[in-house]
Amino acid sequence: MYSFGVSSQKEKLLISRMQELGISEKDIIEKFIRSGGKGGQNVNKTSTCVYLKHIPTGIEVKVQKERTQALNRFLARRLLVQKIEEMFLKEKSELRQKIEKIRRQKRKRSKRAKEKILSDKKHQSIKKELRTVKDYNSEKS
């Protein structure tokens, strides 16, 4: 295969994930585009942006995170594998589970839930207040 400029362990992991999902290099169209943004002369003169398209699924990925083409090729393939895996596994995907968890954490509470929380807080404050009053009376005697 190719050398992506990452550790051989990461390359093997990526290749095994691709094989598990049935993704072959023949099914991928790879193009190189000139990147934009930060990176100076290196980015302006070389085509470091990597574009991948998986023909059977039609999923397209474009990566220009790093300054080297080899590393961007690795990152693009990894992203492509993630997207295909997510498409196949839908709900079981780890990424989707994380997104759903964050969505649940951020959503607004219902009026009833808010009232319950506030009543619990009020109850707790009353208990604390009674403790301090008790302590004050016991010191006085």
Side-chain angles (χ1 to χ4, degrees):
M1 189 125 179
Y2 307 107
S3 176
F4 295 118
V6 293
S7 68
S8 59
Q9 185 181 3
K10 286 184 179 182
E11 279 185 36
K12 287 176 186 172
L13 186 67
L14 177 65
I15 292 166
S16 67
R17 281 181 69 194
M18 286 175 74
Q19 288 172 348
E20 283 174 20
L21 293 170
I23 303 168
S24 67
E25 287 292 327
K26 292 181 278 182
D27 296 339
I28 298 174
I29 295 174
E30 185 173 39
K31 294 181 185 176
F32 304 104
I33 310 162
R34 261 198 203 138
S35 299
K38 296 176 185 173
Q41 190 175 14
N42 178 63
V43 168
N44 297 331
K45 288 177 78 176
T46 59
S47 299
T48 54
C49 180
V50 178
Y51 166 85
L52 295 178
K53 181 176 182 178
H54 187 242
I55 299 165
T57 57
I59 294 175
E60 298 176 354
V61 172
K62 188 176 170 184
V63 175
Q64 61 180 31
K65 280 184 179 179
E66 300 297 326
R67 289 181 64 184
T68 61
Q69 190 182 78
L71 197 51
N72 282 332
R73 289 177 76 199
F74 172 77
L75 294 173
R77 278 174 174 70
R78 194 168 69 180
L79 185 62
L80 183 72
V81 167
Q82 274 182 345
K83 285 190 173 192
I84 292 171
E85 194 172 53
E86 189 176 322
M87 189 184 84
F88 284 142
L89 302 177
K90 298 270 182 188
E91 311 264 320
K92 294 179 185 177
S93 169
E94 289 178 31
L95 185 63
R96 187 170 296 278
Q97 286 176 351
K98 286 179 187 175
I99 291 169
E100 285 298 320
K101 183 179 180 183
I102 291 168
R103 188 175 289 140
R104 283 193 303 272
Q105 288 172 345
K106 286 187 175 182
R107 87 172 158 222
K108 275 186 154 181
R109 290 191 173 104
S110 66
K111 223 176 197 180
R112 192 172 181 180
K114 282 182 192 175
E115 288 171 2
K116 185 175 186 259
I117 290 168
L118 289 174
S119 68
D120 288 346
K121 281 186 171 182
K122 184 69 176 170
H123 179 71
Q124 191 66 24
S125 69
I126 290 170
K127 281 182 5 185
K128 278 188 161 186
E129 200 174 294
L130 289 172
R131 276 188 229 140
T132 56
V133 172
K134 247 190 240 178
D135 292 341
Y136 181 70
N137 288 337
S138 63
E139 287 175 14
K140 217 174 184 182
S141 316

